[in-house]
Amino acid sequence: MEQLAWLAPAAGALALLMAFFLASRVAQQDPGEPRMQEISQAIRQGAMAFLSREYRTLAIFVVALAVIIAVIGFLTPSEVMKPETAIAYVAGAVTSVLAGFIGMRVATLANVRTTQAARRGLAPALDVAFSGGSVMGFSVVGLGMLGLGVVYYLFQGDISVVSGFSLGASSVALFARVGGGIYTKAADVGADLVGKVEAGIPEDDPRNPAVIADNVGDNVGDVAGMGADLYESYVGSVVAAIAIAAEAATSQTPLPATLPLIIAAGGIVASIIGAFFVRAAGGNDPARALRAGTFASGILTLIAVFLISYLGYGDLRWFWATLAGLAAGIAIGLLSEYYTSAEYAPVKGIAEASQTGPATNIIAGLAVGMRSTAWPIVVIAAAILLAYTVAGGGAAGIFAIGLAGVGMLSTTATTVSVDAYGPIADNAGGIAEMSGLLPTVREITDTLDSVGNTTAAIGKGFAIGSAALTALALFSAYATAVKLHEVSLTDPRLVVGLFLGGMLPYLFSSMTMQAVGRAAFRMIEEVRRQFREIPGIMEGKAKPDYARCVDISTAAALREMVVPGLMAVVVPVAVGLWSKTALGGLLAGSLVSGVLLAIKMANAGGAWDNAKKYIEAGHYGGKRSDPHKAAVVGDTVGDPFKDTSGPSLNILLKLMSIVALVFSTLFTRM
Amino acid sequence: MEQLAWLAPAAGALALLMAFFLASRVAQQDPGEPRMQEISQAIRQGAMAFLSREYRTLAIFVVALAVIIAVIGFLTPSEVMKPETAIAYVAGAVTSVLAGFIGMRVATLANVRTTQAARRGLAPALDVAFSGGSVMGFSVVGLGMLGLGVVYYLFQGDISVVSGFSLGASSVALFARVGGGIYTKAADVGADLVGKVEAGIPEDDPRNPAVIADNVGDNVGDVAGMGADLYESYVGSVVAAIAIAAEAATSQTPLPATLPLIIAAGGIVASIIGAFFVRAAGGNDPARALRAGTFASGILTLIAVFLISYLGYGDLRWFWATLAGLAAGIAIGLLSEYYTSAEYAPVKGIAEASQTGPATNIIAGLAVGMRSTAWPIVVIAAAILLAYTVAGGGAAGIFAIGLAGVGMLSTTATTVSVDAYGPIADNAGGIAEMSGLLPTVREITDTLDSVGNTTAAIGKGFAIGSAALTALALFSAYATAVKLHEVSLTDPRLVVGLFLGGMLPYLFSSMTMQAVGRAAFRMIEEVRRQFREIPGIMEGKAKPDYARCVDISTAAALREMVVPGLMAVVVPVAVGLWSKTALGGLLAGSLVSGVLLAIKMANAGGAWDNAKKYIEAGHYGGKRSDPHKAAVVGDTVGDPFKDTSGPSLNILLKLMSIVALVFSTLFTRM
């Protein structure tokens, strides 16, 4: 089976063909009337302006790090670091950028076409929106596996070089997720506070100068940000499993290093078939259609992995490990839904607590967020133990934990497709509103959008779970590489590492939360300025300066992410140079603390959001009642929780562990 | 030097003499007019009613656990567990109960006498209040060292038995801190919401049926709760250091197992002298007087430890380790002050953020709380590394980390005295208000009270720091006892333990936060009922049923603590029976995650509180302005943070690690 690694780039190419096919289908759809096209173009221009500026800053970062790696590579013996790692690193960054670029471009083509399709009914609108989202999904896995596969072949599977590819993906994710997260919330809060609260104009009103930035933000956060996040997890989980196989294999237990690539290939094929299930199950129940696609690709993946394990290796251990990971991913997603959907007790409890004011709403939300960590942690623990145990423990067991990560991420194409569908539907609604279409159109886009909100919550849970397993696998690869096999639990370097590592997510989250505050403040000032200085803006006679708002969000996001971003790269290197045991503790501490904080923030944020919507639906007095005002406070607190700080933690964890893995040989040789 | 262990019980007896002397001085003071005495008596009766009911429930718990220990002791060989451990366990519980009983009794005598003394001026009032608080301080260290010293002698320093004493102290702390924390906030919120907000009567108004429960709550939380918490830390740190010395000593590195006892004795003598510094520095600046006492006892302790190390052991390593701990304790206290005092940027920033409403107030407070974890963690890490390194690493290094904990807690008498002074001053103000004394009296008690608020914040920081070092030392003792010297960082049992351990503080905090909500709700209903059903209550003609409110708080607090309390005992035993490596991971994970969460909660809570007071002092529009309303929301969220959930985490960490240590031999033999 080991010679079948070519399946990965082949499946990647197939996925790209699929993306191309879907993209041209989207492009062929009717873009609607000129007014709609004009708005859509403003969003697309804003999104592309953000991307191009982000990529320019990113380029400096990537080139600098590539040069550092290359220099270390030339100066040290090849066992420590090879200059080729820099090439793999740049390849990882470029492919991730490309995936984000394609995905965003098509998503911003799909939004207006979804609006137009919605005039014909729910089924065609769902089709366009999901096709648009799927381009992102298949670009992520296509470029991921094509790129990684080529690098793997080019450097003969030398993991010290190949891991650079994963570091490249992480660098892009840092910018897309942290910068994107700050962008989207600054624009959202700015648009809402001045528009809705101060000026009293409705959401998505074209008179609001920040309205385009707000719609751009949906794409920046949920298409580009989520895509880069899962690109990083996807590539990282495969690289980690290969690294474990390379480092942990002994003569007694040879490990199938190419299996992760083959499983990923199987997952791609399964996801392509799964996408057709969405169309087939389509019609008038988008939630059912998306669920059908998700389950179909999951089950097909499992069948593929079963066949690979049984026929290829005569060894079902790898199947069970993959199953454990895939099941854990689905379970964590469903648990997120339980804690954040208005259909269940937690959100209803928050809505009830809103009756006694904002303070009790906040306390209830925080309590739900903290409580919601328990089951996901139990699920992750069970998956780890199950994979390890069925594989018989030892080196094979650690490899099996890595495979569980690969399994969880094997259906990444479907997950990203479902997730990227959300902002397209959201944008479609905004365009319908701004171009003054019939309310029936808006109703259809609202139906699509509300399904998108649920899938977004599930997607966030999945992203955290996958980040946890990927970071754990990368951590295991690091610990295996630097041989942390006989560490004393009382070793103060380990203890100090654990404490410092546990603290970093708190510091990082505090930074990103305050960054949103500062960026939003600039946006608010700009919107106020335009309302004040542009005559006729409120009467709809003068056009607001949308581009200026987009620009402010972009500049603020990129500036604010510098310090937390550098922290994520510099701290692990500095600690690793001091002590590789301390770095092991640092990674373990940040993993545990970061996953908990991320789950808490994502679920509390989602729960507050839906508690507000639950009240708006007519409970406890409905809109504009006192409980509603209290619930708005919770929703506002939850916004940076769920869209900035929480998701950014995924990146922190993965980035720190891939940095540790890439530089691990440097630490052992010091 | 090893034969000098008798110094500990001797110093304990001396401390008790000091407590007795101070108690009789307090009792001799003028208790004021009948109206004042009546109110004071209601508070005392309420406090004692809570204590007696708490102790009855506690007795069931202690007897049950003692029987379990004794039965295991009789059924297993003496290397696994000795029946005598049950005796030590009961002794630890009884002495802690006694300390709490004495402290509460005198504190509730001192409050009214402080009010009366305040009619003569600031200096006499400070003298009475601090004397009252000091009784608690000296009872804690006196009973702690007398009890532990006697048990140590009786069982010839057999650590497997002696550690039972620490478990006893932990059991009491669980009830006093968790139950007390729920009590105090339920009463506070209940009294405020119905009294201040609904009925529009001022704070401490005698017409409010919950007013006595609220004043009782101050004592229950800050006297009995804090006292039992630090009693647990005090005893636990000494036991942990002795255990490390006993387990880690090798023929090459014999370790001075009685040194922790001798250092504790030195700290007691230093604190007695320090108490006189407070009186000498007294006069019109209570803050300066308390600071003088704290620094004097710290410096005197260091001199004593220097002499013990140099003259007794010819070895300054132990001095440096003690110094590291003591300095870390002071540093963490001062950092708490920075993040929670209105004089510095963090609180001012929260006040500023209140201008844009409750949501930004909450976000700013949470960000401050998260950010405030960074420096204390760095301080703890530095203390650990310093102690370990100066001792030359290895077994001596681990012992030195234990000594750092002993050092931090050596001035416990002073810390508890300063802390218990706060609620006495607070109560004194309440009594002045309720008995209608002249405003000048209230001004003096307010001055005392405001100093008490600052010392309370410092005390909370210190309590967390000491819990962290104590839990770490107990964890080290456990890891040494079960020989977790060669653990692989990729061992899935370790990883699973870390994840589960990290999650427990989140679950525990969620439980305690919701417990406050439920208990407060019952209190609110009762106060509303009394306002409705007792005629003439609002006109001050009929007396409210204070006892009923006290009763409701008490019953709710004791009921609500059952589940989180059992969790803290059952989980480590269950995990330990499965795998001692997993238990090691569980303790490490909960330690890191719990300390971070506790610091965040305590500092965010304190910062919100003082941001509100800062606005009330006339900034951003002052009382009743919109920013003030926003700040009240933050303060209300912060209340369970800083007075229930945050402090309860101290107990969770210490209790789980002492449970692990006491049952450690059971886990190794399974």
Side-chain angles (χ1 to χ4, degrees):
Chain A
M1 289 298 283
E2 291 301 290
Q3 66 280 19
L4 289 185
W6 63 266
L7 281 174
L14 191 66
L16 287 179
L17 274 180
M18 177 79 179
F20 181 77
F21 162 74
L22 289 166
S24 36
R25 271 199 59 219
V26 168
Q28 282 157 17
Q29 303 294 314
D30 178 6
E33 295 143 22
R35 170 82 188 126
M36 291 162 64
Q37 292 185 43
E38 191 190 322
I39 296 164
S40 158
Q41 203 162 356
I43 297 176
R44 184 158 59 252
Q45 277 170 358
M48 289 305 151
F50 172 77
L51 277 193
S52 73
R53 196 143 154 192
E54 178 190 299
Y55 289 162
R56 265 176 294 166
T57 320
L58 176 62
I60 302 169
F61 182 90
V62 170
V63 169
L65 198 48
V67 168
I68 292 174
I69 293 172
V71 168
I72 298 177
F74 282 117
L75 292 180
T76 57
S78 72
E79 311 92 72
V80 176
M81 191 165 278
K82 299 192 186 71
E84 295 93 315
T85 308
I87 300 172
Y89 170 67
V90 172
V94 168
T95 46
S96 176
V97 159
L98 214 55
F101 185 82
I102 296 170
M104 283 281 272
R105 183 130 203 110
V106 176
T108 51
L109 284 176
N111 53 15
V112 68
R113 288 163 173 81
T114 303
T115 315
Q116 180 66 7
R119 301 169 101 169
R120 289 185 286 128
L122 190 59
L126 169 65
D127 188 27
V128 178
F130 185 70
S131 295
S134 299
V135 173
M136 184 76 197
F138 287 109
S139 299
V140 162
V141 298
L143 284 160
M145 274 311 118
L146 185 59
L148 185 61
V150 168
V151 166
Y152 187 84
Y153 263 93
L154 215 58
F155 301 104
Q156 285 111 39
D158 179 344
I159 192 62
S160 73
V161 175
V162 173
S163 61
F165 190 86
S166 185
L167 181 61
S170 283
S171 303
V172 179
L174 175 69
F175 279 74
R177 210 29 150 170
V178 181
I182 297 170
Y183 182 104
T184 179
K185 283 303 115 177
D188 186 16
V189 172
D192 277 7
L193 264 185
V194 190
K196 279 204 268 186
V197 181
E198 289 184 15
I201 55 178
E203 175 122 25
D204 286 332
D205 190 298
R207 288 171 295 174
N208 191 333
V211 72
I212 297 294
D214 189 11
N215 274 280
V216 168
D218 292 339
N219 291 296
V220 163
D222 282 343
V223 181
M226 176 66 99
D229 187 351
L230 286 180
Y231 189 94
E232 180 192 20
S233 284
Y234 186 61
V235 169
S237 67
V238 172
V239 165
I242 296 175
I244 293 171
E247 304 275 3
T250 60
S251 48
Q252 289 88 41
T253 52
L255 294 168
T258 51
L259 180 57
L261 289 167
I262 302 172
I263 292 177
I268 288 178
V269 177
S271 297
I272 291 175
I273 305 173
F276 291 104
F277 273 79
V278 176
R279 290 193 69 189
N284 289 316
D285 190 348
R288 201 178 132 257
L290 295 178
R291 227 175 7 244
T294 305
F295 279 108
S297 47
I299 290 167
L300 289 169
T301 302
L302 281 179
I303 294 173
V305 176
F306 181 86
L307 295 176
I308 296 166
S309 299
Y310 190 70
L311 300 178
Y313 295 90
D315 188 346
L316 280 183
R317 294 182 294 172
W318 314 133
F319 167 72
W320 291 115
T322 313
L323 173 64
L326 219 158
I330 293 174
I332 292 173
L334 295 177
L335 285 166
S336 297
E337 191 186 355
Y338 172 75
Y339 285 107
T340 59
S341 155
E343 285 178 37
Y344 304 103
V347 169
K348 284 183 184 162
I350 296 174
E352 198 189 332
S354 309
Q355 292 180 98
T356 33
T360 41
N361 166 285
I362 296 290
I363 291 176
L366 290 172
V368 163
M370 290 200 284
R371 207 171 67 211
S372 76
T373 60
W375 282 112
I377 290 293
V378 169
V379 166
I380 291 173
I384 292 170
L385 283 180
L386 192 70
Y388 182 81
T389 311
V390 290
I398 308 293
F399 179 66
I401 294 176
L403 276 192
V406 176
M408 187 185 270
L409 284 149
S410 55
T411 56
T412 294
T414 309
T415 312
V416 174
S417 302
V418 169
D419 221 87
Y421 145 92
I424 295 174
D426 192 351
N427 268 210
I431 292 169
E433 184 80 30
M434 286 188 265
S435 26
L437 298 188
L438 290 175
T440 49
V441 179
R442 178 81 204 213
E443 269 165 36
I444 286 177
T445 59
D446 276 355
T447 308
L448 292 179
D449 188 24
S450 80
V451 175
N453 281 335
T454 311
T455 58
I458 297 178
K460 263 168 206 136
F462 180 85
I464 298 170
S466 77
L469 269 193
T470 302
L472 175 65
L474 288 168
F475 161 74
S476 301
Y478 164 76
T480 309
V482 301
K483 305 205 170 21
L484 294 175
H485 296 315
E486 293 180 348
V487 175
S488 169
L489 281 195
T490 56
D491 187 331
R493 289 166 303 181
L494 178 70
V495 172
V496 164
L498 281 169
F499 269 115
L500 291 179
M503 175 266 282
L504 288 179
Y506 280 76
L507 189 57
F508 191 82
S509 296
S510 170
M511 285 177 182
T512 48
M513 272 172 73
Q514 295 192 303
V516 170
R518 279 190 298 264
F521 187 71
R522 286 210 187 83
M523 181 65 101
I524 290 169
E525 285 195 322
E526 170 62 20
V527 175
R528 282 185 187 151
R529 186 194 66 77
Q530 293 200 20
F531 277 146
R532 203 172 50 230
E533 295 180 5
I534 302 178
I537 189 171
M538 285 307 285
E539 296 77 35
K541 288 177 197 157
K543 218 176 139 184
D545 187 354
Y546 298 133
R548 182 98 192 85
C549 288
V550 169
D551 204 51
I552 283 179
S553 256
T554 308
L558 291 175
R559 188 173 44 240
E560 292 287 354
M561 61 156 296
V562 172
V563 178
L566 281 180
M567 190 175 90
V569 179
V570 172
V571 170
V573 174
V575 171
L577 288 174
W578 164 47
S579 153
K580 56 194 172 117
T581 306
L583 179 53
L586 185 93
L587 296 180
S590 65
L591 177 58
V592 169
S593 160
V595 167
L596 285 161
L597 204 52
I599 298 175
K600 174 192 149 178
M601 288 186 144
N603 286 346
W608 272 317
D609 186 359
N610 281 325
K612 185 194 73 173
K613 289 188 179 134
Y614 182 76
I615 293 178
E616 283 172 355
H619 300 90
Y620 302 119
K623 258 194 170 176
R624 268 176 289 278
S625 64
D626 277 343
H628 182 247
K629 279 180 201 140
V632 168
V633 173
D635 183 38
T636 312
V637 173
D639 260 348
F641 264 48
K642 71 179 198 310
D643 292 322
T644 311
S645 301
S648 295
L649 286 172
N650 299 347
I651 312 301
L652 176 73
L653 305 183
K654 289 181 286 186
L655 184 54
M656 291 209 304
S657 31
I658 185 68
V659 166
L661 179 62
V662 168
F663 292 96
S664 59
T665 37
L666 197 64
F667 306 146
T668 14
R669 301 295 165 129
M670 290 290 287
Chain B
M1 290 297 284
E2 291 301 289
Q3 66 280 17
L4 290 185
W6 61 266
L7 280 174
L14 191 65
L16 287 178
L17 273 180
M18 178 78 179
F20 181 77
F21 161 73
L22 289 166
S24 36
R25 271 198 62 217
V26 168
Q28 282 159 16
Q29 303 294 316
D30 179 5
E33 293 142 24
R35 170 81 189 127
M36 290 161 63
Q37 292 186 41
E38 192 190 320
I39 297 164
S40 158
Q41 204 163 357
I43 298 175
R44 184 156 61 249
Q45 278 171 359
M48 290 304 150
F50 171 77
L51 277 193
S52 73
R53 196 144 152 194
E54 179 191 297
Y55 290 161
R56 265 177 293 169
T57 320
L58 176 62
I60 301 171
F61 181 91
V62 169
V63 168
L65 197 49
V67 168
I68 291 174
I69 293 171
V71 167
I72 298 176
F74 282 117
L75 291 180
T76 56
S78 72
E79 311 91 71
V80 176
M81 190 164 278
K82 299 193 187 70
E84 294 92 314
T85 308
I87 300 173
Y89 170 67
V90 173
V94 168
T95 46
S96 176
V97 159
L98 214 55
F101 185 81
I102 296 170
M104 284 281 271
R105 186 133 199 106
V106 175
T108 52
L109 283 176
N111 53 15
V112 68
R113 288 165 174 79
T114 302
T115 316
Q116 180 67 11
R119 301 169 100 169
R120 290 187 285 127
L122 189 60
L126 168 65
D127 188 28
V128 177
F130 185 70
S131 295
S134 298
V135 173
M136 185 73 197
F138 286 109
S139 300
V140 162
V141 297
L143 283 160
M145 274 312 118
L146 186 60
L148 184 61
V150 168
V151 166
Y152 187 84
Y153 263 94
L154 215 57
F155 301 106
Q156 286 111 39
D158 180 344
I159 192 62
S160 73
V161 175
V162 174
S163 61
F165 190 86
S166 185
L167 181 61
S170 284
S171 304
V172 178
L174 175 69
F175 280 74
R177 208 32 148 167
V178 182
I182 298 171
Y183 182 103
T184 180
K185 284 303 115 176
D188 186 15
V189 172
D192 277 6
L193 263 186
V194 191
K196 279 204 267 188
V197 181
E198 290 184 13
I201 53 178
E203 176 121 28
D204 287 332
D205 191 298
R207 289 172 292 175
N208 190 333
V211 72
I212 296 294
D214 189 11
N215 274 281
V216 169
D218 292 338
N219 290 294
V220 162
D222 283 342
V223 180
M226 176 66 98
D229 188 349
L230 287 180
Y231 189 95
E232 180 192 22
S233 283
Y234 186 60
V235 168
S237 67
V238 172
V239 165
I242 296 175
I244 293 170
E247 304 275 4
T250 60
S251 48
Q252 288 87 39
T253 51
L255 295 167
T258 50
L259 179 57
L261 290 167
I262 301 171
I263 292 177
I268 289 179
V269 177
S271 297
I272 291 175
I273 304 174
F276 290 104
F277 273 78
V278 177
R279 290 192 69 192
N284 289 316
D285 189 349
R288 201 178 132 257
L290 295 177
R291 225 171 14 239
T294 305
F295 280 107
S297 47
I299 290 167
L300 289 169
T301 301
L302 282 178
I303 294 173
V305 176
F306 181 85
L307 295 175
I308 296 166
S309 298
Y310 191 69
L311 300 178
Y313 295 90
D315 189 346
L316 281 183
R317 295 183 293 172
W318 315 133
F319 167 72
W320 292 114
T322 314
L323 172 64
L326 220 158
I330 293 174
I332 292 173
L334 294 177
L335 285 166
S336 299
E337 192 186 353
Y338 172 75
Y339 285 107
T340 60
S341 157
E343 285 178 37
Y344 304 103
V347 168
K348 284 184 185 160
I350 297 174
E352 198 188 334
S354 308
Q355 292 180 98
T356 33
T360 41
N361 166 285
I362 296 291
I363 291 176
L366 290 172
V368 164
M370 290 200 284
R371 207 172 65 210
S372 76
T373 60
W375 282 112
I377 291 293
V378 170
V379 166
I380 291 174
I384 293 171
L385 284 179
L386 192 71
Y388 183 80
T389 311
V390 290
I398 309 295
F399 179 65
I401 294 175
L403 276 192
V406 175
M408 188 185 269
L409 285 148
S410 55
T411 56
T412 295
T414 309
T415 312
V416 174
S417 301
V418 170
D419 221 86
Y421 144 93
I424 295 174
D426 191 355
N427 268 212
I431 293 169
E433 185 81 30
M434 286 187 264
S435 25
L437 298 188
L438 290 174
T440 48
V441 179
R442 178 80 204 211
E443 270 165 35
I444 285 177
T445 59
D446 275 354
T447 308
L448 292 178
D449 189 20
S450 79
V451 175
N453 281 336
T454 310
T455 59
I458 297 178
K460 263 168 206 137
F462 181 85
I464 298 169
S466 77
L469 268 193
T470 302
L472 174 66
L474 288 168
F475 162 73
S476 301
Y478 164 76
T480 309
V482 301
K483 305 203 171 20
L484 294 175
H485 296 315
E486 293 179 347
V487 177
S488 168
L489 280 196
T490 56
D491 187 331
R493 290 167 302 181
L494 179 70
V495 172
V496 164
L498 280 171
F499 271 116
L500 291 178
M503 176 266 283
L504 288 179
Y506 280 76
L507 188 58
F508 192 82
S509 295
S510 169
M511 284 177 181
T512 49
M513 272 173 72
Q514 295 193 303
V516 170
R518 280 190 298 263
F521 187 72
R522 286 209 188 84
M523 181 65 100
I524 290 169
E525 285 196 321
E526 171 61 22
V527 175
R528 282 184 186 152
R529 186 195 67 77
Q530 291 201 21
F531 277 146
R532 202 170 53 230
E533 295 179 6
I534 301 178
I537 189 171
M538 284 305 286
E539 296 77 37
K541 287 176 195 157
K543 217 176 136 181
D545 188 352
Y546 299 131
R548 183 98 192 85
C549 288
V550 170
D551 205 51
I552 282 178
S553 255
T554 307
L558 292 174
R559 187 175 44 241
E560 292 287 353
M561 61 156 295
V562 171
V563 179
L566 280 180
M567 191 175 90
V569 178
V570 172
V571 170
V573 174
V575 172
L577 288 175
W578 164 48
S579 153
K580 57 195 171 116
T581 305
L583 179 52
L586 185 92
L587 296 180
S590 66
L591 178 57
V592 170
S593 157
V595 167
L596 284 162
L597 203 53
I599 298 175
K600 173 192 150 177
M601 289 187 143
N603 286 346
W608 272 317
D609 187 357
N610 282 325
K612 185 195 73 173
K613 288 189 179 134
Y614 182 75
I615 293 178
E616 282 172 355
H619 300 90
Y620 303 118
K623 257 195 170 174
R624 268 176 290 276
S625 63
D626 277 343
H628 182 247
K629 278 180 201 139
V632 167
V633 172
D635 183 39
T636 313
V637 173
D639 260 348
F641 264 47
K642 73 180 197 308
D643 292 323
T644 311
S645 300
S648 295
L649 286 172
N650 299 347
I651 312 302
L652 176 74
L653 305 183
K654 290 181 285 184
L655 184 54
M656 292 209 302
S657 33
I658 185 69
V659 166
L661 179 61
V662 168
F663 292 96
S664 59
T665 38
L666 198 64
F667 307 146
T668 13
R669 302 295 165 131
M670 290 289 288

